[in-house]
Amino acid sequence: MDVQVLTEYFQRYGAVVIFVIVFLEYLNLPGFPSGVVMPLAGIWAYQGNIGFITALTLSVIAGLCGSWVLYFAGWYGGDFVLKKYVKKFPKQKEIIDKTIERVRTKGYLGIFVGKLIPVLRTIISIPAGVLKVKFTGYTIASTLGILVWNFVFVGAGYLFGETVLEILA
């Protein structure tokens, strides 16, 4: 999905696009890179189509909902989900093993920091579910990490406005 298509979606469907695309991105689906989606939401806010706080809030809620889906897939599917995931994305086995260990040893701090690292930030939800991390603590740590990550990217789009769009195009 390229910048032009995303821009058209933003213009045609409004704020719901921010939620849907960020939600899908947090499910770690290919084609929805946060480095493109989030700055576009910021640019959209910069252009006055939506408030910055609204764009950021929608992105955080969408990110949290996507993270919850993977968390519960890990919680209820456990090893089955991990085996299927590794089979589909074999290059990520090593990072998943490291992520499980990070969640095991660092707990909520590991989840928070994990939400700030590309690729790991979406994958960490599955091991957290597999390890049956308390949902409330997981949600708080995830929300804080998602807020920081999304603030940087949505904020970059808002702060740099049209310049970001030109760079991405």
Side-chain angles (χ1 to χ4, degrees):
M1 187 170 288
D2 67 4
V3 173
Q4 193 64 31
V5 172
L6 286 171
T7 302
E8 289 174 23
Y9 283 150
F10 278 134
Q11 302 216 340
R12 182 178 293 160
Y13 301 110
V16 71
V17 170
I18 294 171
F19 181 88
V20 170
I21 293 177
V22 172
F23 173 77
L24 293 173
E25 193 267 334
Y26 269 87
L27 289 176
N28 202 29
L29 296 177
F32 299 100
S34 64
V36 174
V37 173
M38 308 269 190
L40 283 176
I43 290 168
W44 206 47
Y46 168 79
Q47 293 172 334
N49 295 308
I50 189 172
F52 174 77
I53 298 298
T54 303
L56 180 62
T57 302
L58 277 172
S59 75
V60 171
I61 292 169
L64 191 57
C65 288
S67 295
W68 284 342
V69 169
L70 294 180
Y71 172 84
F72 285 117
W75 182 282
Y76 292 109
D79 289 328
F80 175 77
V81 171
L82 280 178
K83 285 176 186 172
K84 284 284 196 188
Y85 187 88
V86 168
K87 187 175 182 180
K88 185 169 176 105
F89 304 103
K91 293 179 181 177
Q92 295 183 357
K93 182 179 179 355
E94 184 180 337
I95 197 168
I96 287 176
D97 291 341
K98 288 179 182 178
T99 301
I100 289 172
E101 192 56 33
R102 176 177 284 129
V103 172
R104 220 180 246 135
T105 59
K106 305 286 185 199
Y108 301 126
L109 180 61
I111 292 168
F112 168 76
V113 171
K115 290 290 182 180
L116 303 175
I117 301 171
V119 180
L120 180 60
R121 68 190 189 78
T122 53
I123 293 173
I124 199 162
S125 301
I126 298 170
V130 169
L131 294 172
K132 309 263 190 265
V133 171
K134 287 186 181 179
F135 182 70
T136 304
Y138 167 79
T139 297
I140 292 168
S142 291
T143 301
L144 293 173
I146 291 167
L147 178 63
V148 170
W149 179 271
N150 292 10
F151 178 80
V152 168
F153 281 90
V154 174
Y158 186 82
L159 191 62
F160 299 112
E162 295 297 323
T163 306
V164 172
L165 189 55
E166 290 172 11
I167 290 170
L168 294 174

